[in-house]
Amino acid sequence: MPVAVHLFRALSDNYGFLVTDEATGLTAAVDVPDGTAAIAEAERRGLQVTYVMNTHWHPDHTQGNAALKERFGAHVVGPAEVRRVAPLDGELRGGDVFHLGETAWDVLETGGHTLGHVSFHSRAAGVAFTGDCLFTLGCGRMFEGTPGQYWASLGALAALPPETRAYGAHEYTASNLRFALSVDNAPELRARAERLRPLLDAGEATVPTTIGEELATNPFLRAPRLAIAASAADEAEAFARVRAAKDAFKG
Ligand code: ZN
Ligand code: FE
């Protein structure tokens, strides 16, 4: 079933997402960085927000939940860790399927940024919401998990159909691209940089990306193939080395 995804900027570099199941008109907010911005976007489009789908507990993803609940009576679902900061009406874990009208969203366990982080994938719509696990040309900081956990999470996303449109929750592409070019000389990456530069110069969104483009150019997915990490004992360690290099990157 097709869906419409409306993205809008919020806070300094977050994206908010409203996703509508076109068969029924039912709409969910995927994370709520800013309740006021989400309500304004919904009203501008004449949408009622029936659900909030949270990817993880961080305040820049959950702090607007209450505003959508108050304005629309939205039902909030997400991983149990969200309860650290906000109430949940329904708990989701990896392997669950969340139905938004006629669209089924597979809940993928994608921990590592936070331990309980989840992503949402609709095979029929060809869309994934990857929260702070996977970004255009980047990935989230590893605040709570281990390299093995994070690498497995990226593997789960990398296994989605290559044409899947992946929506990460931040616009970090300018910095991600500078880092990627500093560690990887792949022709696919250089070609992508040429395609991205006009968008970045114009301040336009570089979200969504596709899984196929990320497989070809994302330095974290390519970690085992990069010179800075090729000597790692295993792929998770290669990932950890690239993650550490990005954490220290001042480009
Ligand atoms: Zn986060
Ligand atoms: Fe975030």
Side-chain angles (χ1 to χ4, degrees):
M1 270 295 138
V3 299
V5 179
H6 308 292
L7 92 174
F8 53 97
R9 304 256 185 162
L11 310 180
S12 59
D13 51 36
N14 279 76
Y15 284 114
F17 304 108
L18 296 178
V19 56
T20 301
D21 169 59
E22 292 193 325
T24 60
L26 281 177
T27 296
V30 181
D31 287 333
V32 196
D34 178 339
T36 305
I39 289 168
E41 183 71 14
E43 287 179 341
R44 194 167 77 78
R45 296 185 177 279
L47 299 171
Q48 297 282 319
V49 181
T50 305
Y51 296 99
V52 171
M53 297 156 68
N54 282 138
T55 61
H56 66 295
W57 71 266
H58 283 161
D60 65 308
H61 298 255
T62 53
Q63 63 199 1
N65 286 5
L68 291 190
K69 208 168 170 55
E70 185 178 322
R71 170 68 179 78
F72 297 108
H75 185 88
V76 180
V77 298
E81 65 171 25
V82 168
R83 293 194 202 276
R84 287 164 67 167
V85 293
L88 276 180
D89 300 304
E91 242 174 60
L92 297 175
R93 61 196 61 186
D96 287 347
V97 180
F98 177 74
H99 291 273
L100 176 66
E102 296 184 8
T103 305
W105 294 92
D106 293 320
V107 180
L108 308 178
E109 233 165 89
T110 51
H113 173 71
T114 64
L115 284 178
H117 190 293
V118 299
S119 296
F120 299 101
H121 173 234
S122 167
R123 192 164 291 274
V127 169
F129 292 100
T130 60
D132 284 357
C133 180
L134 180 72
F135 300 127
T136 300
L137 284 176
C139 77
R141 284 189 183 253
M142 195 168 62
F143 287 122
E144 297 180 4
T146 61
Q149 182 188 19
Y150 210 135
W151 183 248
S153 299
L154 291 176
L157 296 173
L160 300 180
E163 65 278 11
T164 306
R165 293 186 301 287
Y167 291 80
H170 289 269
E171 180 64 50
Y172 289 153
T173 308
S175 149
N176 288 344
L177 176 61
R178 285 194 295 275
F179 173 72
L181 289 168
S182 78
V183 295
D184 192 355
N185 196 32
E188 293 85 351
L189 175 62
R190 284 184 275 123
R192 193 174 187 197
E194 294 315 308
R195 294 197 302 277
L196 281 169
R197 271 198 188 100
L199 293 176
L200 292 170
D201 289 346
E204 285 177 30
T206 63
V207 169
T209 180
T210 65
I211 294 297
E213 280 183 293
E214 294 310 309
L215 279 169
T217 57
N218 185 307
F220 297 97
L221 296 181
R222 285 174 46 72
R225 285 162 210 82
L226 298 184
I228 59 164
S231 66
D234 60 32
E235 295 193 338
E237 191 199 321
F239 163 73
R241 287 195 200 178
V242 176
R243 185 60 263 174
K246 175 68 163 73
D247 291 346
F249 184 65
K250 301 276 187 266

